[in-house]
């Protein structure tokens, strides 16, 4: 019996300094002062600065167009898209240990690869940057091709500039307006999720919010049909109160999950918000017992100096989803 030769083990392609495949760095990215600066930023601050940068680009584009600088406008096409994609990729898609590499800017760090991942997670595979289209001369192209051509200051972009300036500047006014409105929508989305982070919402909740903002009507209809097949039994809501004291907030609630005991829950925090995750169950039992526990805690809080929040109802009956 002849024993086949043992193949030598393939050399490891993993860089011990960085977990990102094909990264060739010899020193940890975290040694870089730029990476260190970004790693110290909160998600809300990173979103805020991304938003500010996109606003500056929008203002620059408007000024360029108003002054007839069409080539300058065309070469900005990719910038807002890339900024928006990068911040969503960094905050919601990329593995945590990849962040130093992403912040470093070292290769590979391509816009196209990040966009494909963001498209899967955030846009629910409905993005169109890689959707093939047919041009006026019968050529096949994608929006990503066009964005890259413009960003690289190509001769194609120069030719487009010549065409706009010489033959059809008026026809482009509507397209330019649409571009600006599209980028301004990104600013609105970023502003919303920034405020969610600042309010203490968890990453998965903020991710769902940005998914919802990008969700098409068709997808919402699909979700509605799926929920109709498997309806969620609502939580029975009995009583609640918001209170405040020296810049702190106290939230009391009595409710009953489906097929479970009535529960009395409390949350105290520096921020005025409440969610399922931050409510602490104090007691469970019958409806009468939990309403009595609620009233006892409420009266004790009043004696301790807590004040009812007049903007929030202190009692309510019914159901919530």
């Amino acid at each position: 019996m002849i024993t086949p030769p043992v193949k030598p083990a393939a050399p490891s392609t993993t860089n011990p300094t960085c977990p990102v495949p094909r990264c060739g760095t010899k020193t940890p990215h975290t040694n870089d002062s730029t990476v260190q600066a970004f790693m110290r930023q909160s998600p809300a601050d990173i979103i805020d600065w991304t938003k500010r940068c996109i606003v500056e680009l929008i203002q620059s584009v408007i000024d360029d167009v108003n002054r007839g600088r069409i080539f300058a406008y065309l070469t900005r096409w990719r910038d807002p898209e890339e900024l928006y994609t990068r911040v969503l990729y960094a905050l919601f898609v990329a593995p945590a240990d990849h962040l130093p590499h992403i912040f470093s800017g070292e290769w590979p760090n391509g816009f196209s690869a990040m966009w494909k991942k963001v498209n899967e997670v955030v846009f629910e595979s409905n993005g169109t940057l890689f959707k093939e289209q047919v041009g006026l001369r019968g050529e096949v192209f994608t929006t990503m091709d066009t964005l890259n051509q413009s960003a690289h200051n190509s001769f194609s972009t120069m030719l487009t500039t010549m065409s706009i300036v010489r033959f059809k500047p008026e026809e482009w006014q509507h397209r330019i307006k649409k571009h600006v409105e599209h980028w301004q929508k990104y600013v609105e989305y970023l502003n919303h999720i920034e405020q969610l982070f600042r309010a203490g919402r968890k990453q998965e909740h903020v991710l769902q919010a940005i998914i919802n903002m990008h969700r098409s009507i068709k997808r919402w209809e699909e979700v509605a049909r799926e929920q109709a097949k498997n309806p969620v039994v609502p939580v029975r809501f009995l009583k609640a109160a918001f209170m405040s004291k020296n810049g702190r907030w106290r939230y009391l609630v009595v409710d009953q999950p489906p097929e479970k005991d009535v529960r009395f829950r409390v949350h105290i925090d520096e921020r005025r918000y409440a969610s399922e995750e931050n409510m602490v169950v104090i007691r469970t039992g019958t409806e009468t017992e939990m309403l009595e526990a609620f009233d006892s805690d409420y009266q004790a809080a009043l004696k301790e100096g807590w004040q009812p929040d007049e903007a929030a109802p202190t009692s309510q009956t019914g159901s919530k989803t």
Side-chain angles (χ1 to χ4, degrees), residues 128-176:
T128 59
L129 292 193
F130 279 95
K131 184 179 180 180
E132 290 189 345
Q133 303 178 57
V134 179
L136 296 176
R137 299 184 299 276
E139 75 280 10
V140 177
F141 70 98
T142 67
T143 301
M144 182 63 79
D145 292 335
T146 304
L147 293 179
N148 289 334
Q149 287 282 349
S150 66
H152 296 151
N153 301 314
S154 66
F155 283 112
S156 174
T157 305
M158 189 183 301
L159 186 63
T160 302
T161 303
M162 294 163 58
S163 174
I164 295 172
V165 172
R166 290 178 177 176
F167 305 111
K168 46 187 178 182
E170 295 82 10
E171 294 181 15
W172 272 75
Q173 292 303 315
H174 178 70
R175 183 177 299 190
I176 294 169

Side-chain angles (χ1 to χ4, degrees), residues 95-121:
D97 60 350
H98 285 206
L99 289 180
H101 174 89
I102 296 167
F103 292 145
S104 75
E106 291 193 25
W107 189 89
N109 230 321
F111 168 40
S112 296
M114 289 186 185
W115 185 88
K116 288 178 180 178
K117 294 293 185 181
V118 170
N119 183 43
E120 292 175 13
V121 176

Side-chain angles (χ1 to χ4, degrees), residues 67-124:
R67 294 174 180 271
R69 297 189 291 257
I70 300 301
F71 184 75
Y73 152 65
L74 293 177
T75 57
R76 294 299 184 87
W77 275 4
R78 196 177 84 172
D79 293 340
E81 301 289 341
E82 187 164 4
L83 277 169
Y84 188 66
T85 297
R86 285 187 181 278
V87 74
L88 295 184
Y89 181 79
L91 295 180
F92 302 114
V93 180
D97 60 350
H98 285 206
L99 289 180
H101 174 89
I102 296 167
F103 292 145
S104 75
E106 291 193 25
W107 189 89
N109 230 321
F111 168 40
S112 296
M114 289 186 185
W115 185 88
K116 288 178 180 178
K117 294 293 185 181
V118 170
N119 183 43
E120 292 175 13
V121 176
V122 180
F123 306 152
E124 298 181 307

Side-chain angles (χ1 to χ4, degrees), residues 228-264:
K229 294 177 183 177
N230 302 289
V232 178
V233 179
V235 174
R236 182 171 169 241
F237 181 61
L238 297 170
K239 196 170 186 179
F242 259 119
M243 308 179 81
S244 62
K245 176 184 176 184
N246 299 328
R248 305 184 73 207
W249 296 92
R250 186 186 194 98
Y251 182 53
L252 317 176
V253 64
V254 175
D255 57 14
Q256 182 178 22
E259 301 180 0
K260 293 186 178 180
D261 290 339
V262 178
R263 60 189 180 181
F264 169 48

Side-chain angles (χ1 to χ4, degrees), residues 39-66:
M39 295 298 290
R40 289 194 296 267
Q41 304 300 311
S42 68
D45 286 338
I46 292 175
I47 292 171
D48 179 43
W49 280 105
T50 303
K51 178 182 66 177
R52 291 168 185 260
C53 292
I54 294 177
V55 168
E56 286 194 15
L57 286 170
I58 293 172
Q59 293 171 338
S60 178
V61 162
I62 292 173
D63 186 63
D64 287 337
V65 171
N66 288 341

